[in-house]
Amino acid sequence: DAGVIQSPRHEVTEMGQEVTLRCKPISGHDYLFWYRQTMMRGLELLIYFNNNVPIDDSGMPEDRFSAKMPNASFSTLKIQPSEPRDSAVYFCASSKKRALSTDTQYFGPGTRLTVL
Amino acid sequence: DAKTTQPTSMDCAEGRAANLPCNHSTISGNEYVYWYRQIHSQGPQYIIHGLKNNETNEMASLIITEDRKSSTLILPHATLRDTAVYYCIVRVAENRDDKIIFGKGTRLHILP
């Protein structure tokens, strides 16, 4: 199993540009999560999906952020327009269908985003 | 609100057991204790979880007090590769879907 795959691993862009981060979850996993990590705020949950449907997007910072999951094997997190304060490492994670809170999440390697 | 309290950092000598404490005094009866770790520049990695019994796997042991208000993660023979930030997490159940809320964690330094 290749694990959770994220691309690109590093992204450097200029303020105002659109940024698209991509994630391929582990095959057979029903849940997909997007996190953001910064030194100041630590690891924050942005949004998660169950069977491709967004369940909770309360962590999405503002309307500039959007996430989609068109099928079970692919998800995107888009920032438009990007701002320097969006600079962070963005992690994608996936997990199997939940049963009595015993599932675990498997994280990808992350995308390091720098907005100049 | 991470619902857990951990020391900011700890040191442990290589080859020794690393004991990482966590307080979760407001834990509910149906909430599990999870431990993840994050090695520098990598995504968090699941270690172990438990409800009320002690648990052991190939990576670590988890000791949960009888009142479940605290727990200890034990790495029996720490190596330099165990240097990481360790997160103690109590699962928050809302409706049918749970969320993992990561706190600040404990930065564990394994000393050669």
Side-chain angles (χ1 to χ4, degrees):
Chain A
D1 194 334
V4 175
I5 299 173
Q6 291 186 247
S7 65
R9 293 294 308 278
H10 302 273
E11 176 80 28
V12 180
T13 190
E14 292 186 345
M15 182 173 63
Q17 296 297 307
E18 178 180 294
V19 175
T20 300
L21 310 181
R22 297 173 177 79
C23 175
K24 176 178 169 55
I26 294 173
S27 177
H29 281 193
D30 300 284
Y31 285 79
L32 184 139
F33 306 81
W34 281 102
Y35 291 85
R36 177 175 68 175
Q37 187 171 38
T38 62
M39 288 292 292
M40 292 295 294
R41 301 175 66 88
L43 198 60
E44 304 172 280
L45 177 65
L46 300 177
I47 185 171
Y48 71 98
F49 296 81
N50 177 19
N51 290 322
N52 314 336
V53 176
I55 301 300
D56 186 343
D57 64 354
S58 60
M60 296 286 264
E62 47 196 277
D63 292 343
R64 297 184 297 106
F65 286 69
S66 63
K68 294 181 180 180
M69 192 165 185
N71 57 62
S73 60
F74 184 66
S75 176
T76 60
L77 178 67
K78 186 174 293 186
I79 308 172
Q80 167 62 21
S82 59
E83 298 182 3
R85 59 189 168 131
D86 301 329
S87 298
V89 180
Y90 291 81
F91 289 103
C92 176
S94 69
S95 67
K96 292 181 181 179
K97 184 178 177 61
R98 300 203 177 189
L100 299 176
S101 299
T102 58
D103 72 292
T104 62
Q105 294 186 14
Y106 297 86
F107 284 76
T111 295
R112 182 174 295 276
L113 173 65
T114 302
V115 183
L116 303 173
Chain B
D1 182 5
K3 297 184 66 173
T4 62
T5 304
Q6 299 178 252
T8 302
S9 66
M10 292 182 62
D11 292 337
C12 178
E14 187 178 17
R16 299 279 189 165
N19 297 280
L20 292 91
C22 179
N23 288 320
H24 31 78
S25 59
T26 61
I27 191 170
S28 299
N30 62 348
E31 289 180 319
Y32 287 67
V33 180
Y34 276 73
W35 284 82
Y36 282 75
R37 74 178 182 183
Q38 187 173 20
I39 296 171
H40 182 62
S41 298
Q42 297 182 23
Q45 175 192 24
Y46 165 81
I47 301 173
I48 197 167
H49 73 278
L51 183 61
K52 53 184 176 181
N53 296 322
N54 297 337
E55 302 288 344
T56 296
N57 63 20
E58 65 278 5
M59 290 183 67
S61 294
L62 174 60
I63 308 299
I64 302 174
T65 58
E66 191 169 344
D67 63 7
R68 302 210 322 125
K69 293 183 183 299
S70 65
S71 61
T72 301
L73 178 74
I74 301 174
L75 307 178
H77 304 288
T79 70
L80 297 177
R81 288 176 294 181
D82 293 320
T83 293
V85 177
Y86 287 77
Y87 297 97
C88 171
I89 298 154
V90 168
R91 295 300 293 271
V92 178
E94 294 178 12
N95 299 322
R96 297 181 300 108
D97 296 293
D98 301 347
K99 295 193 288 192
I100 290 180
I101 299 176
F102 287 83
K104 299 292 186 184
T106 295
R107 188 171 296 277
L108 176 66
H109 299 276
I110 304 301
L111 307 174

